Amino acid sequence: MDERRTPPRLRGSLVALVTACEDDPAVLAAWVGGSLARDTADDWSDIDLHLLVDDPEEFGGRIAEWFGRALPVVLADQIPGVPGGHLFVTTDWVHVDVILHGTR
C-alpha cells in the first residue's frame, strides 16, 4: 500500500484491513477496487475491498466477526443485489464494502 496515494482519513482503516487479511489463512487474496484502485479517492471515499476465499458462504457467515476484529463497527449488513457483498460503517464513519469471491 502506497500511503502517499491513500487519503489520510482512510489510511488507518486500510492498514487494519490489510492486517486482518494477512492474519486470516482463509483469505487467499485481497484487492481494492473503486476510487482507491483508480487513484481518484479522497477523504470521503469508501473502501471497496474484494476478498478471494475458498468458501464465500462460510466466510460470509462470519464476516461481521472478522471485520469487527479489524475495526469497530456501527453498521454491518449485506449489500442488496450483490452476491457476496457486505457493507460496514466504522465508528469513524468510514464506509467499507467487502465483496467475497470464491475459488469454486
Side-chain angles (χ1 to χ4, degrees):
M1 177 180 79
D2 184 351
E3 286 192 15
R4 295 168 298 167
R5 297 173 67 174
T6 304
R9 182 171 176 272
L10 303 180
R11 287 180 189 158
S13 296
L14 200 52
V15 167
L17 291 168
V18 167
T19 300
C21 291
E22 291 173 341
D23 290 347
D24 192 327
V27 178
L28 305 174
W31 63 96
V32 294
S35 61
L36 281 171
R38 291 189 305 271
D39 198 25
T40 59
D42 62 28
D43 274 342
W44 299 103
S45 295
D46 69 342
I47 296 172
D48 298 303
L49 179 65
H50 295 260
L51 303 180
L52 179 65
V53 296
D54 275 331
D55 187 345
E57 198 169 306
E58 182 276 327
F59 195 89
R62 63 181 182 87
I63 193 165
E65 174 191 330
W66 176 86
F67 192 95
R69 285 193 308 267
L71 294 166
V73 176
V74 295
L75 175 67
D77 205 351
Q78 292 185 339
I79 301 174
V82 179
H86 303 268
L87 70 88
F88 299 91
V89 177
T90 72
T91 56
D92 291 332
W93 298 107
V94 174
H95 174 173
V96 181
D97 292 331
V98 180
I99 311 298
L100 301 178
H101 304 273
T103 59
R104 320 175 202 185

